[in-house]
Amino acid sequence: MSDNKYAVAGPNFQDYITCPYDSAHRIRPSRFTLHLICCSKNFPSSKKVRCPFNTAHVHSVFVMKDHVAECPDRSLLERYKLPDMLPPVEPRQTGFLIETDEDWDAEPPVATYDPQAYCERTFVIRNPQGNPPAARRAFRKRENKRFTGKDGS
């Protein structure tokens, strides 16, 4: 019997989000908004409403008033509505700058690759598909002559 031991990693449940409608539901963040749409249909009598700034924020009606005042996504809407009133967002600087003398727009110093010409110069077996039978026969005859150096009849 082999002494190899393999560890199989399970899902990382710390990255999952708990559904506001049913605490037994644990959803990946990438699927959370889709799940909220489906789950809200399953719980129509719950008194939950969505945040006007982010549809992934779902709270009870009583908590929503406080949430709207403190929502972290509210600043995005306010910056859009009143761009002159708020200080501008500083763009993130990139951590590096690469100096190079390459010019990707210049033409390459070599000729372009022609696969048809390469196949005709070297011994590559080709299969002419889509041609009528007479053209395929003529092609096979030419290829046989090219490979063997003698007539294929």
Side-chain angles (χ1 to χ4, degrees):
M1 184 147 211
S2 175
D3 290 334
N4 292 339
K5 295 181 180 172
Y6 298 102
V8 178
N12 190 359
F13 288 111
Q14 287 80 20
D15 295 340
Y16 285 42
I17 301 172
T18 305
C19 175
Y21 293 103
D22 187 358
S23 60
H25 294 172
R26 305 277 293 173
I27 306 103
R28 289 179 304 195
S30 61
R31 305 275 302 162
F32 187 64
T33 53
L34 181 65
H35 174 80
L36 286 178
I37 293 168
C38 297
C39 207
S40 65
K41 294 175 185 175
N42 294 338
F43 295 93
S45 62
S46 70
K47 302 225 184 311
K48 304 268 186 187
V49 291
R50 290 180 182 242
C51 174
F53 307 116
N54 188 343
T55 58
H57 298 167
V58 178
H59 298 287
S60 67
V61 176
F62 307 110
V63 178
M64 186 53 74
K65 185 180 276 188
D66 296 332
H67 173 77
V68 167
E70 300 171 359
C71 182
D73 295 326
R74 179 185 181 128
S75 64
L76 298 173
L77 178 68
E78 289 180 0
R79 188 174 305 283
Y80 174 74
K81 287 172 61 177
L82 306 168
D84 299 332
M85 303 297 276
L86 296 171
V89 175
E90 293 293 326
R92 258 192 253 162
Q93 294 182 356
T94 57
F96 59 92
L97 179 63
I98 299 175
E99 295 291 331
T100 182
D101 54 358
E102 286 184 291
D103 184 13
W104 286 48
D105 294 328
E107 292 295 321
V110 296
T112 58
Y113 174 70
D114 184 12
Q116 187 69 28
Y118 174 78
C119 289
E120 289 172 1
R121 279 194 316 268
T122 59
F123 293 116
V124 175
I125 298 174
R126 297 181 290 168
N127 185 6
Q129 295 181 353
N131 292 339
R136 287 196 305 263
R137 271 193 303 276
F139 177 81
R140 283 194 299 272
K141 188 174 182 180
R142 283 193 313 269
E143 289 293 293
N144 192 8
K145 186 176 183 180
R146 185 171 70 99
F147 282 125
T148 60
K150 52 185 163 175
D151 195 0
S153 50

